[in-house]
Amino acid sequence: MSITMDTTLASLGTNKRRVSALKSLGIVTVGDALTYYPFRVTEPVPLRAIREAAPGQQMAFAAVIRDMRVVPMNARRGYRLEATVDDADFARSRRVPGSTARLTFFSYRKSYVDWVSMRLRAGTSVVVSGMPSEYMGQLQFTHPEILTVAPGSAGAGAGLEGYARGAASGNGAFAGSTDPYASVQSAYPPAVAASSGAALKYDADTVREALTRVCRPRPVYHASSRISSEHIHETILGLLWMMGARTSSTPDGQLAGAGSAGIVAPTTDTIAVQNGEENSGTTAESGAEALSQSIPDVLPESVRKAKNLMHRAEAFLAIHDPASTTRFKEAIETLRYEEAFVSQTSLLKARSHAHKSAAHSCPLVTDSLRDQFIASLPFSLTAGQQQVIHDIAADLAHDWPMQRLLQGEVGSGKTVVALAAMLQAVDAGYQAVLVAPTQVLAEQHAETIGRMVEQLKPAIPVTLLTGGMKLAARRKALAAASSGEPGIIVATHAAFSKTFQAPHLALVVIDEQHRFGVEQRESLNAKTDDGTTPHLLVMTATPIPRTAAMTWFGDLDISWLTELPGGRKPIRTVVVNEADAATMGRMFAHIRARVDAGERAYIVCPRIDADDEGNEGGSGVSAAAGSARGRAAASGSSARTAAGGRATRAAADAIGIDDPYETFDENGETVARPPLHAVAEIADRLQKLPQFQGIRFATLTGRDKDDVKTQVMADFAGGETPILVSTTVIEVGVDVKQASCIVIFDADRYGLSQLHQLRGRVGRGGTNSWAFLISRAEPGSPAEQRLEVIHHSLDGAEIAQADLEFRGAGDVLGDAQSGGKSSLKLLRVVKDADMIADARTRAEQLLAADPELADEVQLAGAVLDFTRGNETFLTSS
């Protein structure tokens, strides 16, 4: 069976339960598995004789089984298996006296005990790796790793000297040692022959091979309650074997020769090994060739050699079966550079393609609508706004499409800049569309823009189009758009529907935090009669460091608005430990005082109601994986479970945390954390507090219908319900100038950029304002350190930089980078800035010589895959 990166595990795996568990981690294909990278690699296990053992320190040794017994545990259900091992010959080779130790296994399953008993027959040669402890005066290894060695291998001890030297130079396990046990195996007696008819399968042919396997570094993967790191590793090695790998990665960059430890063939109860493959005579050399054919290189050969990088197949092998920690790091660097090169090539091609497309030219005219609008404003534009408006005007005058990212703090005046651009398009006789992520925000924009342009001559039609409109109003809006009459259309996702037609569309403005995919962009391009591509302006209030923006939005021109309009006062940020009842009480009393003064308060919770706990089965997926990632219905926020795993679609609608920081133990298992607070729970608790007697509360979540959201926000803004308990649905665009306080529960579980975004919902009316971050973080923990950043800073760029350093680029720069179909799993925006710059330079040189990548078929395919999987990354934040 020919296996490629696109082969599904379901077609290979005979263990359906494991296939299902891997799928819950986002591992569906062979490519998903090979790019499910370990988050760390263990240090090499040192060889020690039993007498050299130190309790609590990992060790490995070779021994012979002397006796074995199974003891039923009468006091409780199950069995205890004990085997006594003797390392006399191995210890002699290390010039220490031999000794014995006990290997102990516990299990409720008789089948497991029988299987271990069959392997550990008296006289069997074994290699043991584990953590020693002491029990009743005897050294004991509980559930150690055991490799059985085939009996009677002629010359099995030969070559151990070379093994020792390789180990010393490769991973440090035997640093400074000569080979004191070159004849270890030859001294062992053969194992007792198996009873007639029992075909025992040994784990290794020689002691040397077994020692190599247990002593070499071991990758550790983010695991879950359904599948362990060991089983993930076993599956990946099985796939590599099926693709042609027969031996492990060695420091010289080649697949090791026949004398080295080989990758064990997968068992037929895990992977559907084809007939004859179990005993195939594949050599190391032909295995290397087969693996490279199954996993072709993506980087151009010239680039790989210039950077002294591994072949892609060799890098995968060195990551999942590393000969040394050094080799593992080199492989990670190879694939990290590959990600940089592919991403930068994609960005450069996207930029080149955009400049070849045609667009409507929208030059400025005398006494333009734009100038009328600016003159009518009751305030003066900041220097930054004036510069960006000027830059956009120049872009719109071109006959190729503008592609510009407008980055600005909350309240920095991005809407004014966008409206000036839309009026320039309307003045040229065309249509402009502003796409907003929610109906509430679209309605706010339509009302605000309508009010701002009502005095302009000639009159500017402003059309609102949302999915929640009544049928008659929706038909009227669609008819206005399809007429082609110059004007401004404010829409939600309804702009992407097939029924929406705007034949004279010249400008598309995408509002903050909205994910705008390739297919959606193409659907708007198709709205024009003449096939031109609309100018594109993407706005974001999510702070992105300049280095990151220049790196990731290389296909866009970038503008920053750093000045805040006059009158805005700094928001006071307070971190409150939820267990501090006295401070919590004072906080609620302060909020009551502000409400009594005519102001408003937001209370933000990550979940809708406590019943959502059932949807939070933590699958323990890393930030780099998981195709089950969901979007919160109204906020556009990604969802994860309270335990750090991916949420189901139902849970995605209920959990508004941007991307909670997952906590893993040393084995890659997710660490259980307290359940997240829910809107229904907190609203009920607060209304019973004496501080809020007589105060009306409202709740708002992503599950509410659009008309309900509109009414709730109207009541909140009007003061009928001055306290709003909500999910992060208020994160984007909600503008209530009377809001002066925001309380964010479970703040230690949010991303810093999202906390900064939520904090920007208050203080928009020029009054004093406060943000209270409620935390259950342990003192001195990383979570507490994160909150200190936002406690002491109001600088969005500084906060984003810290967010990048804490959790990587993906979660800050968009959903695609955080998992799902993203091709980016290793690259770090800030730390790898030099690498990315180098990749960009080399990609420019390559594209200058071969613009269509005709000579680089594999790279062209990787670029296409990257673009398809990261369309949001290429066009918005």
Side-chain angles (χ1 to χ4, degrees), residues 297 299-311 327 329-341 827 832-843 845:
D297 215 346
L299 288 174
E301 184 72 8
S302 59
V303 173
R304 187 169 70 84
K305 288 185 176 179
K307 298 294 295 181
N308 194 28
L309 302 173
M310 301 180 189
H311 188 282
R327 190 69 176 152
K329 292 174 183 177
E330 290 173 354
I332 289 290
E333 286 301 297
T334 290
L335 294 180
R336 184 173 285 145
Y337 190 89
E338 177 189 291
E339 288 185 358
F341 196 86
L827 205 57
D832 295 329
D834 291 342
M835 176 186 290
I836 294 166
D838 179 88
R840 190 176 184 87
T841 299
R842 294 179 188 275
Q845 295 170 354

Side-chain angles (χ1 to χ4, degrees), residues 574-580 584 587 674 677 743-750 755 772-779 781-788:
V574 182
V575 179
V576 181
N577 189 319
E578 189 173 341
D580 186 349
M584 293 284 286
M587 176 188 72
H677 287 299
V743 178
I744 305 172
F745 279 91
D746 294 305
D748 52 303
R749 307 276 285 275
Y750 287 80
L755 286 176
F772 299 98
L773 310 181
I774 312 302
S775 169
R776 288 182 281 185
E778 294 292 329
S781 66
E784 185 182 63
Q785 297 170 19
R786 291 194 298 268
L787 291 182
E788 283 303 301

Side-chain angles (χ1 to χ4, degrees), residues 11 57 67 128 155 191 201 256 297 329 533 544 546 568 576 618 669 735 741 757 796 829 853:
S11 66
Q57 295 183 15
D67 60 66
V128 180
K201 183 177 181 180
D297 215 346
K329 292 174 183 177
T533 300
I544 304 170
R546 285 178 179 259
R568 291 292 295 270
V576 181
E669 301 280 354
D735 188 4
C741 296
Q757 183 85 346
V829 170
L853 300 178

Side-chain angles (χ1 to χ4, degrees), residues 123 125 148-160 182-191 202-210:
S125 297
T148 58
V149 181
S153 301
L160 275 178
S183 60
V184 163
Q185 178 158 333
S186 59
Y188 286 136
Y202 295 93
D203 299 316
D205 292 330
T206 66
V207 170
R208 175 182 180 278
E209 176 187 338

